[in-house]
Amino acid sequence: SLYSLRRVTEVLGVVQARDWNLPVFGRTRQFIVPVCDMLNFGQIGLRVRFDDRRSSFLLWALRPIAAGAELLFYYGSFCQDEALSNYGFVPPVSRPCEGSSKSKHKGSKHKGMP
């Protein structure tokens, strides 16, 4: 075979860590957007959408960003297991997943991002 199952799994993991799910021409689709797919996690007020009329992805800031500042994008509110599985890291504000042994501990210090 051209590729082993292990290699296909490794490559798929990389693609899934960088893909986007947005409405495109009326249907939510999964895709990779050059440059945008390399944004690191954080919350500074960036938004993205697909403009059907222009057939283009638009990325904009909700507030001014200082020259030289890193552009960060908030990936969403994921529980800890989902974040680790999808992105390879767990943001400190992630909540435990429902049904995990961690979610049964009361008084967790983690809160979801605004």
Side-chain angles (χ1 to χ4, degrees), residues 65-103:
I65 299 172
E70 181 178 13
L71 297 179
L72 302 171
F73 188 80
Y74 182 64
Y75 300 166
S77 285
F78 296 97
C79 69
Q80 294 167 352
D81 296 342
E82 290 170 329
L84 185 60
S85 176
N86 291 332
Y87 303 109
F89 71 96
V90 176
V93 295
S94 295
R95 69 193 184 289
C97 296
E98 289 295 320
S100 75
S101 60
K102 293 177 185 175
S103 69

Side-chain angles (χ1 to χ4, degrees), residues 8 30 41 44 47 52 58 63 68 70 72-73 78 105 110:
V8 169
Q30 194 172 17
F41 177 82
I44 64 167
R47 297 294 182 264
D52 290 339
L58 305 176
R63 63 176 199 251
E70 181 178 13
L72 302 171
F73 188 80
F78 296 97
H105 298 307
H110 300 299

Side-chain angles (χ1 to χ4, degrees), residues 92-94 106-111:
V93 295
S94 295
K106 292 187 178 183
S108 172
K109 64 179 180 175
H110 300 299
K111 296 180 181 178

Side-chain angles (χ1 to χ4, degrees), residues 13-33:
V14 170
V15 171
Q16 288 178 328
R18 295 290 179 193
D19 73 339
W20 292 68
N21 291 290
L22 289 174
V24 175
F25 299 117
R27 245 179 71 207
T28 298
R29 301 170 192 254
Q30 194 172 17
F31 48 85
I32 293 179
V33 183

Side-chain angles (χ1 to χ4, degrees), residues 49-70:
R49 74 175 177 86
F50 184 81
D51 184 321
D52 290 339
R53 189 176 48 80
R54 296 181 191 173
S55 293
S56 301
F57 292 95
L58 305 176
L59 175 71
W60 70 95
L62 297 176
R63 63 176 199 251
I65 299 172
E70 181 178 13

